[in-house]
Amino acid sequence: MKVLLTGANGQLGRCFQDIVPNEWQLIAADHDVLDITNTEHVESFVKQYQPDVIVNAAAYTAVDKAESEAVIARKINAQGPYNLAVAANKNNARFYHISTDYVFDGEKTKPYLTTDQTNPLGVYGKTKLQGEQLCLKVNPNVTIIRTAWVFSQYGNNFVKTMLRLAKERSELKIVNDQIGCPTYAGDLAYCIIQLIKQNNIPGIYHYCGDEVMSWFDFAKLIISKAYELNMIPKLPKLSALSSYEYPALVKRPAYSVLDKKISVTIIIYQVNWIIR
Ligand SMILES: NC(=O)c1ccc[n+]([C@@H]2O[C@H](COP(=O)([O-])OP(=O)(O)OC[C@H]3O[C@@H](n4cnc5c(N)ncnc54)[C@H](OP(=O)(O)O)[C@@H]3O)[C@@H](O)[C@H]2O)c1
């Protein structure tokens, strides 16, 4: 099987490369090799390599910065996936695209189903939702996997920030009223590989880590583990903040736990596609 991976240098991209089955032929394209916003290049690249599967791990993921860079965020999170979905469709490739829990507003108190109403609070979530919608519109064979709170040994993420701050500061103030599920990018990569192997039904899926917690709980876990492993010399004081007290450019969902059960959205979208 020939797999084209875009955004190969991101957290998910690098974890995917670490565990991709040996028998698969992987074309790992980072931003320099394939800019997913370049429609013509995406088209010619996919035509040239003829992958059986395309996995899009490329994204604009700077949630706060997106507020002032809406045009570029939209290009990468909506136009880019659209380009890939079109190219995949033309070349008979299965397309796997990754989306986010931030397509929801966080008003629910029970895990979000794939059928739940979306209502993103900020530019990042809005552009990711546009990406989902565009892909579903042009490609009946797209699989969209929404995930949350991604961390890994690669790139920048909450775990790395906490480890750095724990070394630099004696006290850390962390938000305690946003609840979600930290997701290891390697587990997400494994989930995608399993879906590809199983030749899953296209549609929307949810995948995230099993533990439900606040950013404060997550920080506590990271720091206590790091101390246990002698990665930090002393335990900093951890103080809980409310979202109102924490300076952020954009509101985040208060609750964005994803329900991982497969839902009928898949069938609904297929029916819509057939009707159109
Ligand atoms: N990180 C999270 O907490 C989180 C939460 C929920 C969902 N997600 C979703 O999970 C997926 C993977 O996220 P991640 O954390 O692995 O992201 P990441 O580490 O930020 O990696 C994104 C990658 O995309 C590349 N990229 C940006 N613009 C591109 C373009 N125009 N063409 C090609 N590549 C481009 C970046 O390369 P450069 O750096 O060179 O530009 C980077 O290597 C994304 O769809 C994201 O929206 C992430």
Side-chain angles (χ1 to χ4, degrees), residues 6-14 29-38 56-63 72 75-77 80 97-102 124 128 145-152 154-158 183 185 188 215:
T6 58
N9 265 349
Q11 297 194 78
L12 173 62
R14 294 185 68 181
D30 65 16
H31 196 162
D32 291 342
V33 173
L34 180 62
D35 177 346
I36 62 165
T37 67
N38 183 332
N56 180 29
Y60 180 104
T61 54
V63 177
I72 174 92
K75 248 185 131 182
I76 299 169
N77 290 341
H97 174 60
I98 318 305
S99 191
T100 173
D101 54 337
Y102 281 17
Y124 168 72
K128 291 295 289 184
I145 303 155
R146 293 188 186 132
T147 190
W149 297 27
V150 178
F151 67 92
S152 71
Y154 303 118
N156 293 317
N157 55 64
F158 187 76
T183 306
L188 174 62
W215 290 113

Side-chain angles (χ1 to χ4, degrees), residues 119-168:
N119 184 28
L121 299 175
V123 168
Y124 168 72
K126 284 181 184 149
T127 59
K128 291 295 289 184
L129 181 61
Q130 284 168 350
E132 288 187 5
Q133 291 165 340
L134 287 171
C135 290
L136 290 164
K137 203 169 147 190
V138 295
N139 189 334
N141 259 329
V142 65
T143 294
I144 291 169
I145 303 155
R146 293 188 186 132
T147 190
W149 297 27
V150 178
F151 67 92
S152 71
Q153 62 274 46
Y154 303 118
N156 293 317
N157 55 64
F158 187 76
V159 174
K160 289 201 181 176
T161 305
M162 287 305 109
L163 292 177
R164 177 174 52 78
L165 292 179
K167 285 179 196 154
E168 291 171 5

Side-chain angles (χ1 to χ4, degrees), residues 214-254:
S214 70
W215 290 113
F216 178 78
D217 299 329
F218 192 23
K220 237 175 27 186
L221 201 74
I222 295 160
I223 282 165
S224 61
K225 197 73 196 166
Y227 184 66
E228 202 183 297
L229 296 171
N230 287 322
M231 291 169 75
I232 51 173
K234 58 180 173 38
L235 283 171
K237 183 180 169 210
L238 284 182
S239 308
L241 283 186
S242 75
S243 298
Y244 292 109
E245 294 169 292
Y246 185 80
L249 287 175
V250 62
K251 200 176 166 206
R252 267 91 168 151

